[in-house]
Amino acid sequence: MDVGRSSLCNCVVNFLLEENYLLTAFELLHELLDDGRDDQAIRLKEYFSDTSRFPPDQISRFNSLRVADPQSLLEEKEAAEEKLAISDYELRLAQEDILRLKSELQKKTDSLNELNDTAAQSSGDASKNDGPKVQQQKRNSSFTDLGPLKDQERWDLNCAVKEYLLLAGYRLTAMTFYEEVTDQNLDNWQNTPACVPDALRHYYYEFLSSTSEAAQEKIALLRGNETLLQANKRLTEERENLLKNKELMDGQINALTKSLEGLQKDLKDKENLVQAMKQSLEHQKQELDGCRAEITSLKMHIGGSRSGKNLAASDADHVQPMSLENYKEEIKKLQMEVEYLKAKKVTALESANLVSSENEITQREDKIIEIHEDKSSISCPVEVASGDVHNEGTQSFDGHSHNDCIDKREDALHDSQNLPNVNSALGNGETILEHNGGLQAENSRLFLKSDGVNDEAVSEKMGLGTIQILADALPKIVPYVLINHREELLPLIMCAIERHPDSGTRDSLTHTLFNLIKRPDEQQRQIIMDACVSLAKNVGEMRTETELLPQCWEQINHMYEERRLLVAQSCGELAEFVRPEIRDSLILSIVQQLVEDAATVVREAAAHNLALLLPLFPNTGKYFKVEELMFQLICDPSGVVVEITLNELVPAVLKWGDKLDHVLRVLLSHLLSSAQRCPPLSGVEGSVESNLRVLGERERWNIDVLLRLLVALLPSVHQKAIETCPFSTTAETTQTVLSTSMLELYASGRVEWASFEWMHVECFPNLIQLACMLSHKEDNLRSRISKFLLAVSEKFGDSYLTCIMLPVFLIAVGDDADLTFFPSAIHSRIKGLRPRSAIAERLSTMCVLPLLLAGVLGAPAKHEQLLEYLRKLLVEDTSKEHQSTRHIPEIIEAVRFLCIYEENHGMIINILWEMVVISNINMKISAAKLLKVIVPYIDAKVASTQVLPALVTLGSDQNLNVKYASIDAFGAVAQHFKNEMIVDKIRIQMDAFLEDGSHEATIAVIRALVVAVPHTTEKLRDYLLSKIFQLTSMPTSTTDLMRRREKANAFCEAIRALDAADLPVASVRDFLLPAIQNLLKDLDALDPAHKEALEIILKERSGGAFDTISKVMGAHIGLSSGLSSVSSFFGEGGLLGKKETTEAATEAPPSPRAVPTTAAAVAAVEDTRFRRIMLGNFGDMLRGKGKTLDDSQPQ
């Protein structure tokens, strides 16, 4: 299947429907249907068949309008041109007829003139006496009615009469006549055939010299001429009209052509605009990625300030609810503390230092907030118990809890805000009389707070410096760490990526993370991916999209498949950490490219992760693209990819998309198209072979995996049929849901049950159509279909099998069936499966009958019905006189296919025994053929106890055809079994056949055993070799050259087959070489290719004695002295020369005339046994002999 082309077509369909270009989409639908791409036109079919968008009444009204489209105008133009050509042709024929008639008329006129002259000279007086009689005869003769006088005829006669009157002297009469003829100018007589001098006398003599028949013929000619002239005139007018119409049509076509060119130009401009918009979109995407990276870096800088503001806001919210009394109390405490210090005689300078120290505390707090910009809360500084105190009352104390730290930070901020009040109190010289140990504690806490904040700021600065150092050092450290220990660096790399503020450095570290190991194994990939998932959880969606996913995209075309596997794995595991719109766009595009990867493991990982990705898609907008990817993976050439797709991806697609009906339609379309695109088995139109297809390896694989997908979808089909059942199913199991009563309700046709009807209305007919394109060699695919049918019968129950499945397939093979349980609306579709011709009947018997036997009647519940049907096919129908109408070879082939299933062997053997013991000759021959084809599927026990006794019975039959048919079956048994007892039985029966001495039996035995030579035992090979020697040693009793050649060919094929096997030395010496010598004695009966091969075998097998044998053979067959030595023929310079290194010391030197040139000697190569086989085309012979049996073995 071309998935790239299908995806592009779907993109075009989506664009046209989204932009509402409905006319273009409708034209695309028709072009797809014309090209046979029905699977890509499904969506457009559904769109335009929607009655809500296109009401039927509106469509019918539009259909009644005539639209002048270019196609109809072109057809009208072509019809007009054709009519014009016909008119021209008829006009030319009419003109030719006129010329021919004129010439004939002239010839007859001349001949009549000559006869009149001769008659006038020979009998002048007789003519005078007979004149009145002739005139009277002419007057009495009845002419054909001449019709009304025409204008031209009246003009000619008037001119002739006027001329006669003037010549005769009747001038007054001529003047009167001239005056009476007012509508014609008698002075101007046109140049016509009637215009001759003294015309009236010429008319008179012409009339006298003519007969009534000649006159009638001339009149008829004149009338015909007139008719032809009128027809010519009419055709000329029609031609002119057609030319005018043609010019008008040409103008319209030119206008439409210009309009079409304009539309094409507009379409091209729009395509350019789309390309420009795509480029602009890509550019904007790149800019958006850059902006996202910048946003990420800015987020890190402003995050802290936002958290600081949030903290300040929370503090303000916390302070505002406090009562005014609390503020006053705090101020009072600070004033008391200052007074206490003054009472201790603290100098003004020390007081100023105290104020500056408090301001410094506030500044350090701000620094702490800035440093912790990535944190959601400010950590509490660690308080220590050591430090210098400036006052005598300062005491050390233990660290407080986190809440105390927050309270101290709030106190410090509050104190820094109220320092002006403290200074004013000092300026006014106010004194505070009260102080206690609590004030001292507060004072001490204030100074310890300052020291803790300072330590935290230093710690944060050191942390950032450490991250920077780590980020700089990691790329230098990683290459020097052992590969098996690099995963120990992952925590450091993740920490640096997560905390480093610079986006460029983070990208570099992310690249290091993905490339940590050059070719990571499965465990290492999982460790790296776990680190990526953990990092994605921590950094959020935005950084995952801008930092992690680009690394996936960069690795997608990496040279190592392990790295591409890492990309495939990341698509499934990182998808939940990005935005939903990224999942079905960028990540799906990555998966789509990985599906087309050359490595099997990458495609397997892509299928697995696509199944994980589908539940995360926000909607089903990308369903059709995902469905295409699913079918592409289903038809993958790797079995591992197909398994992962069937087990994981297909259920995920069905669960996510919930479009089982669409998947089934596309599946059946792919099944048929995979077979239909293959070439036919034969180019002879109308033959059975022209309907069969020669499947390529890829097409065969595609059909097989699609049938597996159909089997996998069967439970879903059954479940949907049960769920959509329109009848009551309360407390009923699956077995009883499809009971006979339920099927009767369905047959009433009152309600629709589309999901149930799909199986027998769509699926079964499509499978039958597919089966009718499979040749008899495709047993594997036919078995796959049969297993699906058995699964259907098991899933839907015995009632469905009996009432629905069986009638469909019986009608498909041409038998009668009961359609009671089918709604009347679909009767015509089911009956349409019946074959309508002899070719269709033979095709259905060849292709559909095996499915009926193995897939429908092969169900356990139909064992008895299968037995009856087989007996009807093989015994009852064959015994009838009209059995020739049945296709016996196709039936035998169907029974052979049934034998693939071992549970049917006993039933078939029993029926075969019935055929063996019956008296019908044709049935016995069919039994022998059946025994031959089922041999590859039975075991040695059945062959010894059932098949061989049946064959012995047939071999003992008096009819020669039955006997010869059993010989071939014996050869098949010898080919497949090496059991010594079976071989002995075969030898005994072959001896019985050879004892008859008939030519046909001998040929049949030799050829049957030759097929078994490569597979049988040494004992049977020696038996065959000995029989060949005996038969070739016998003197030839017949003078029929054709029979001698046929027997010699059979012996030569057997010898060459035996030579290719391992033979004992004694058998070669005693049987093989003498048999070859016997065959070489009769050169007239030997084929040249066989003769050459036998001589090579003789040379190789004879060794040093070959020269002696050659001389004896040369003398026996009477060769001349120069060519009597066969060794010269096989010498180094001979036609078949070769030099055996093992025989160099024993061979005689070649004669001088046979010594070749040096170049020829160097070019000589050693022959081998394999070369002997190939020289004689023995490999082809073996394949031809064993072709039927080899192909019939189960796959």
Side-chain angles (χ1 to χ4, degrees):
M1 140 188 354
D2 195 347
V3 175
R5 185 178 183 185
S6 300
S7 178
L8 181 60
C9 183
N10 276 332
C11 291
V12 174
V13 170
N14 292 335
F15 173 75
L16 294 177
L17 295 181
E18 290 171 1
E19 296 299 327
N20 205 27
Y21 295 145
L22 299 183
L23 292 179
T24 307
F26 192 71
E27 290 294 334
L28 177 61
L29 170 63
H30 285 279
E31 290 181 358
L32 290 175
L33 294 177
D34 293 340
D35 293 343
R37 296 161 62 185
D38 294 346
D39 52 336
Q40 299 175 12
I42 292 175
R43 189 179 179 192
L44 288 175
K45 283 183 182 177
E46 294 175 351
Y47 185 88
F48 286 107
S49 61
D50 189 357
T51 57
S52 62
R53 293 189 179 94
F54 306 97
D57 54 349
Q58 186 177 1
I59 293 175
S60 61
R61 186 171 67 255
F62 288 158
N63 287 336
S64 62
L65 299 178
R66 174 177 174 83
V67 181
D69 58 320
Q71 183 65 28
S72 61
L73 292 176
L74 182 60
E75 293 176 355
E76 291 177 0
K77 175 186 174 184
E78 292 175 353
E81 290 177 349
E82 182 178 2
K83 188 174 181 181
L84 179 61
I86 295 174
S87 300
D88 291 339
Y89 176 73
E90 292 177 350
L91 177 60
R92 187 169 65 254
L93 291 179
Q95 291 174 349
E96 292 175 356
D97 291 340
I98 291 172
L99 294 176
R100 179 175 54 79
L101 292 173
K102 285 183 177 180
S103 61
E104 292 179 357
L105 179 61
Q106 185 64 33
K107 290 179 180 178
K108 290 183 179 181
T109 303
D110 296 340
S111 61
L112 288 174
N113 291 335
E114 292 177 358
L115 290 174
N116 291 335
D117 294 341
T118 304
Q121 292 177 359
S122 60
S123 55
D125 298 337
S127 62
K128 294 180 182 179
N129 297 330
D130 296 337
K133 296 180 181 179
V134 173
Q135 296 298 330
Q136 185 65 28
Q137 182 180 359
K138 288 183 179 181
R139 282 193 294 269
N140 295 333
S141 63
S142 60
F143 286 97
T144 306
D145 185 15
L146 298 178
L149 191 64
K150 300 179 179 58
D151 293 340
Q152 185 64 38
E153 295 176 349
R154 192 163 62 87
W155 193 358
D156 291 337
L157 291 175
N158 289 341
C159 292
V161 170
K162 172 200 165 188
E163 182 187 24
Y164 168 73
L165 293 174
L166 291 175
L167 292 176
Y170 306 134
R171 297 185 180 274
L172 292 177
T173 305
M175 292 175 63
T176 305
F177 180 72
Y178 187 85
E179 291 176 355
E180 286 182 348
V181 181
T182 60
D183 57 342
Q184 293 178 347
N185 185 9
L186 302 182
D187 294 332
N188 185 15
W189 195 0
Q190 295 180 354
N191 187 14
T192 62
C195 182
V196 293
D198 203 0
L200 196 59
R201 292 183 63 190
H202 280 86
Y203 300 163
Y204 174 71
Y205 291 132
E206 185 70 25
F207 173 73
L208 292 179
S209 62
S210 64
T211 62
S212 61
E213 291 79 5
Q216 289 180 356
E217 184 176 358
K218 184 174 182 179
I219 292 171
L221 288 175
L222 291 175
R223 288 183 176 178
N225 189 9
E226 183 180 358
T227 303
L228 292 175
L229 289 175
Q230 291 177 355
N232 187 9
K233 183 178 180 181
R234 178 176 53 82
L235 292 174
T236 304
E237 292 176 354
E238 290 181 357
R239 180 181 179 183
E240 292 176 355
N241 294 331
L242 290 175
L243 289 175
K244 291 180 181 179
N245 291 334
K246 179 183 177 182
E247 292 176 357
L248 180 60
M249 295 293 180
D250 290 338
Q252 293 179 355
I253 290 173
N254 291 333
L256 291 173
T257 304
K258 291 180 181 179
S259 176
L260 180 60
E261 291 175 354
L263 291 175
Q264 290 177 348
K265 184 177 180 181
D266 292 342
L267 181 60
K268 186 174 182 182
D269 293 340
K270 290 182 179 179
E271 289 177 352
N272 295 333
L273 180 60
V274 170
Q275 294 296 330
M277 292 177 67
K278 286 183 179 179
Q279 294 176 0
S280 176
L281 180 60
E282 292 295 333
H283 182 66
Q284 291 177 2
K285 285 183 179 179
Q286 294 176 0
E287 292 181 353
L288 181 59
D289 293 338
C291 292
R292 286 176 177 173
E294 293 179 3
I295 290 171
T296 304
S297 61
L298 291 175
K299 179 181 177 182
M300 297 180 63
H301 288 290
I302 66 175
S305 60
R306 288 180 179 175
S307 61
K309 292 179 181 179
N310 293 333
L311 178 60
S314 63
D315 291 342
D317 294 338
H318 178 70
V319 171
Q320 287 177 3
M322 294 177 63
S323 63
L324 184 60
E325 297 295 330
N326 292 334
Y327 283 106
K328 291 180 179 181
E329 184 180 357
E330 292 293 329
I331 294 172
K332 186 176 180 180
K333 288 180 180 180
L334 290 175
Q335 290 174 352
M336 291 172 65
E337 182 179 354
V338 173
E339 188 65 23
Y340 172 77
L341 293 174
K342 185 178 180 181
K344 292 293 185 179
K345 297 180 180 180
V346 179
T347 61
L349 180 61
E350 291 175 347
S351 299
N353 290 336
L354 176 62
V355 173
S356 63
S357 176
E358 292 176 358
N359 291 331
E360 188 176 345
I361 290 173
T362 304
Q363 294 174 1
R364 288 177 179 175
E365 287 289 341
D366 295 335
K367 291 181 180 178
I368 292 172
I369 293 172
E370 291 176 0
I371 290 172
H372 292 77
E373 62 186 24
D374 286 338
K375 300 183 178 178
S376 60
S377 63
I378 303 175
S379 63
C380 177
V382 180
E383 296 180 358
V384 294
S386 62
D388 296 332
V389 295
H390 299 283
N391 302 316
E392 295 176 359
T394 305
Q395 301 176 359
S396 64
F397 56 92
D398 296 335
H400 296 280
S401 65
H402 180 69
N403 293 330
D404 295 334
C405 295
I406 295 175
D407 294 337
K408 287 186 285 184
R409 181 174 295 109
E410 291 175 354
D411 294 342
L413 292 173
H414 180 66
D415 292 345
S416 65
Q417 293 172 358
N418 289 280
L419 283 176
N421 295 331
V422 177
N423 292 333
S424 64
L426 290 173
N428 293 331
E430 299 181 21
T431 60
I432 300 175
L433 299 176
E434 184 180 356
H435 75 278
N436 51 30
L439 291 175
Q440 294 178 2
E442 289 294 330
N443 187 24
S444 176
R445 185 181 303 167
L446 186 62
F447 285 103
L448 291 174
K449 164 94 170 174
S450 174
D451 293 338
V453 172
N454 188 20
D455 293 341
E456 185 179 359
V458 173
S459 176
E460 290 299 326
K461 289 182 179 179
M462 291 178 64
L464 285 176
T466 303
I467 293 296
Q468 185 64 46
I469 294 172
L470 183 61
D472 294 339
L474 276 174
K476 303 175 183 177
I477 295 174
V478 169
Y480 298 99
V481 179
L482 293 177
I483 293 178
N484 294 334
H485 296 282
R486 286 184 184 176
E487 62 267 15
E488 298 176 5
L489 297 174
L490 287 175
L492 298 176
I493 298 175
M494 291 170 57
C495 181
I497 295 173
E498 182 179 351
R499 296 176 180 270
H500 201 284
D502 182 56
S503 62
T505 305
R506 293 199 303 270
D507 288 340
S508 177
L509 292 173
T510 308
H511 182 76
T512 303
L513 174 62
F514 271 88
N515 296 272
L516 188 63
I517 300 174
K518 188 176 183 180
R519 304 185 71 171
D521 58 20
E522 184 176 359
Q523 182 178 2
Q524 293 167 340
R525 287 195 303 272
Q526 189 59 49
I527 293 173
I528 295 174
M529 192 46 56
D530 291 341
C532 292
V533 170
S534 178
L535 185 61
K537 289 180 181 178
N538 294 335
V539 300
E541 292 181 353
M542 185 62 67
R543 287 183 58 183
T544 302
E545 296 172 8
T546 57
E547 296 178 12
L548 290 180
L549 287 186
Q551 295 296 331
C552 295
W553 190 261
E554 290 177 2
Q555 301 280 334
I556 197 170
N557 292 319
H558 200 277
M559 62 182 296
Y560 295 127
E561 62 184 33
E562 291 84 358
R563 301 279 275 278
R564 303 198 298 274
L565 274 173
L566 190 62
V567 175
Q569 193 171 351
S570 66
C571 290
E573 299 193 17
L574 294 180
E576 60 178 311
F577 303 107
V578 298
R579 290 175 298 162
E581 56 268 23
I582 298 296
R583 297 169 189 166
D584 60 354
S585 57
L586 177 61
I587 297 182
L588 182 59
S589 299
I590 296 175
V591 173
Q592 184 177 2
Q593 189 165 346
L594 292 173
V595 166
E596 299 174 357
D597 197 276
T600 301
V601 290
V602 177
R603 299 196 302 273
E604 178 187 0
H608 171 71
N609 285 277
L610 180 57
L612 298 178
L613 186 63
L614 290 179
L616 303 176
F617 281 2
N619 51 54
T620 58
K622 300 289 185 179
Y623 172 79
F624 294 104
K625 177 182 287 188
V626 173
E627 187 184 76
E628 284 182 11
L629 292 177
M630 181 189 74
F631 278 103
Q632 182 177 351
L633 290 168
I634 280 290
C635 297
D636 192 273
S638 172
V640 180
V641 179
V642 173
E643 288 296 332
I644 200 75
T645 305
L646 288 173
N647 297 332
E648 297 184 13
L649 182 57
V650 171
V653 171
L654 292 178
K655 184 178 180 181
W656 168 67
D658 194 21
K659 293 183 181 292
L660 178 62
D661 295 340
H662 190 270
V663 171
L664 293 172
R665 284 197 298 270
V666 176
L667 170 59
L668 294 179
S669 176
H670 283 329
L671 269 175
L672 294 179
S673 61
S674 297
Q676 288 170 349
R677 71 168 62 101
C678 297
L681 191 62
S682 173
V684 180
E685 195 69 27
S687 62
V688 174
E689 289 76 13
S690 64
N691 294 279
L692 305 177
R693 294 292 187 268
V694 181
L695 300 183
E697 290 298 328
R698 186 60 188 271
E699 287 76 14
R700 184 180 293 107
W701 172 261
N702 289 347
I703 295 174
D704 183 75
V705 296
L706 289 172
L707 288 173
R708 290 174 58 189
L709 174 61
L710 186 60
V711 174
L713 294 177
L714 180 59
S716 300
V717 175
H718 176 259
Q719 182 65 28
K720 187 172 183 180
I722 299 304
E723 292 175 353
T724 59
C725 179
F727 313 112
S728 175
T729 59
T730 57
E732 291 184 349
T733 63
T734 302
Q735 192 64 250
T736 57
V737 165
L738 299 179
S739 60
T740 305
S741 59
M742 188 69 66
L743 294 177
E744 289 176 352
L745 293 174
Y746 161 70
S748 64
R750 289 192 293 268
V751 292
E752 293 185 358
W753 196 359
S755 57
F756 174 70
E757 281 186 350
W758 175 85
M759 183 63 70
H760 50 274
V761 174
E762 297 291 339
C763 183
F764 289 163
N766 280 277
L767 290 178
I768 290 171
Q769 184 180 355
L770 173 64
C772 289
M773 291 186 282
L774 302 178
S775 64
H776 68 279
K777 298 180 181 179
E778 305 296 342
D779 282 345
N780 188 27
L781 298 180
R782 198 170 282 110
S783 298
R784 188 75 69 183
I785 299 175
S786 300
K787 291 178 181 177
F788 171 75
L789 296 176
L790 292 173
V792 171
S793 62
E794 180 181 358
K795 206 74 178 175
F796 283 77
D798 294 339
S799 298
Y800 183 84
L801 172 62
T802 304
C803 303
I804 302 296
M805 287 184 66
L806 186 59
V808 170
F809 283 88
L810 284 175
I811 289 177
V813 298
D815 290 339
D816 296 328
D818 183 14
L819 300 180
T820 304
F821 294 92
F822 290 85
S824 57
I826 65 172
H827 280 189
S828 59
R829 300 187 63 177
I830 301 301
K831 292 179 181 178
L833 299 175
R834 185 185 299 275
R836 304 294 183 183
S837 62
I839 297 297
E841 288 181 1
R842 184 183 171 194
L843 191 65
S844 65
T845 306
M846 179 189 300
C847 301
V848 184
L849 182 60
L851 301 182
L852 173 63
L853 296 179
V856 180
L857 295 175
K862 294 294 180 182
H863 186 272
E864 295 298 329
Q865 193 168 352
L866 174 61
L867 178 62
E868 295 176 2
Y869 194 82
L870 282 175
R871 184 175 285 109
K872 174 177 175 295
L873 281 177
L874 298 174
V875 180
E876 296 176 6
D877 289 352
T878 309
S879 62
K880 296 178 182 179
E881 294 181 358
H882 66 280
Q883 60 89 20
S884 59
T885 60
R886 304 296 297 176
H887 306 288
I888 300 301
E890 287 76 15
I891 295 175
I892 292 175
E893 187 64 24
V895 176
R896 178 201 65 79
F897 177 76
L898 184 62
C899 288
I900 294 177
Y901 304 92
E902 187 176 356
E903 59 270 16
N904 300 317
H905 289 177
M907 179 196 313
I908 295 174
I909 292 296
N910 292 335
I911 296 176
L912 282 174
W913 270 108
E914 294 182 21
M915 299 172 67
V916 168
V917 299
I918 208 166
S919 59
N920 190 293
I921 300 300
N922 292 327
M923 195 176 301
K924 289 184 177 182
I925 295 175
S926 298
K929 294 178 180 179
L930 267 174
L931 289 169
K932 177 182 177 182
V933 298
I934 69 172
V935 166
Y937 308 102
I938 61 176
D939 55 18
K941 181 179 179 181
V942 175
S944 178
T945 59
Q946 299 288 341
V947 175
L948 278 179
L951 290 177
V952 170
T953 303
L954 294 174
S956 305
D957 196 89
Q958 299 299 321
N959 188 276
L960 294 179
N961 293 328
V962 177
K963 182 180 296 186
Y964 297 154
S966 67
I967 293 175
D968 291 338
F970 274 111
V973 175
Q975 180 181 0
H976 288 88
F977 297 101
K978 296 182 180 181
N979 185 283
E980 185 174 352
M981 182 178 64
I982 294 176
V983 172
D984 290 341
K985 289 182 179 180
I986 293 173
R987 290 172 54 195
I988 293 172
Q989 191 62 33
M990 292 301 177
D991 285 334
F993 291 141
L994 292 175
E995 286 177 359
D996 293 346
S998 66
H999 173 78
E1000 290 78 8
T1002 302
I1003 299 299
V1005 168
I1006 298 299
R1007 287 183 173 165
L1009 294 179
V1010 164
V1011 178
V1013 165
H1015 312 283
T1016 190
T1017 61
E1018 181 180 339
K1019 192 173 184 179
L1020 189 60
R1021 293 193 195 104
D1022 291 343
Y1023 169 78
L1024 175 61
L1025 191 56
S1026 63
K1027 290 301 177 182
I1028 293 174
F1029 170 68
Q1030 294 177 8
L1031 293 172
T1032 55
S1033 301
M1034 297 173 60
T1036 303
S1037 59
T1038 179
T1039 58
D1040 189 351
L1041 183 59
M1042 294 303 296
R1043 287 202 166 197
R1044 285 162 49 200
R1045 286 181 178 176
E1046 186 179 4
K1047 186 179 293 186
N1049 288 337
F1051 291 154
C1052 289
E1053 291 172 2
I1055 288 176
R1056 292 168 66 182
L1058 290 166
D1059 179 61
D1062 294 331
L1063 297 176
V1065 177
S1067 299
V1068 172
R1069 182 185 63 249
D1070 298 337
F1071 302 120
L1072 180 64
L1073 295 179
I1076 295 175
Q1077 295 170 12
N1078 294 335
L1079 289 172
L1080 290 174
K1081 293 177 182 179
D1082 190 3
L1083 292 179
D1084 294 337
L1086 278 180
D1087 184 85
H1090 287 319
K1091 176 178 176 296
E1092 180 181 351
L1094 291 178
E1095 290 172 343
I1096 294 174
I1097 296 172
L1098 184 64
K1099 178 182 178 181
E1100 290 187 346
R1101 294 285 188 174
S1102 62
F1106 179 69
D1107 290 334
T1108 305
I1109 297 173
S1110 300
K1111 292 177 182 178
V1112 173
M1113 293 300 301
H1116 178 78
I1117 61 179
L1119 294 176
S1120 62
S1121 60
L1123 298 176
S1124 61
S1125 176
V1126 184
S1127 62
S1128 302
F1129 184 69
F1130 287 100
E1132 291 181 344
L1135 179 63
L1136 301 171
K1138 83 180 175 83
K1139 188 174 182 180
E1140 295 284 353
T1141 56
T1142 58
E1143 301 173 359
T1146 58
E1147 288 184 358
S1151 59
R1153 74 182 67 184
V1155 175
T1157 62
T1158 305
V1162 174
V1165 295
E1166 290 188 358
D1167 282 338
T1168 61
R1169 183 172 299 170
F1170 178 73
R1171 180 172 178 270
R1172 292 200 316 273
I1173 296 173
M1174 298 309 295
L1175 277 175
N1177 296 323
F1178 180 62
D1180 295 338
M1181 182 270 292
L1182 276 184
R1183 285 193 294 272
K1185 290 291 183 182
K1187 186 174 183 181
T1188 304
L1189 295 175
D1190 292 341
D1191 293 341
S1192 62
Q1193 293 181 359
Q1195 298 181 4

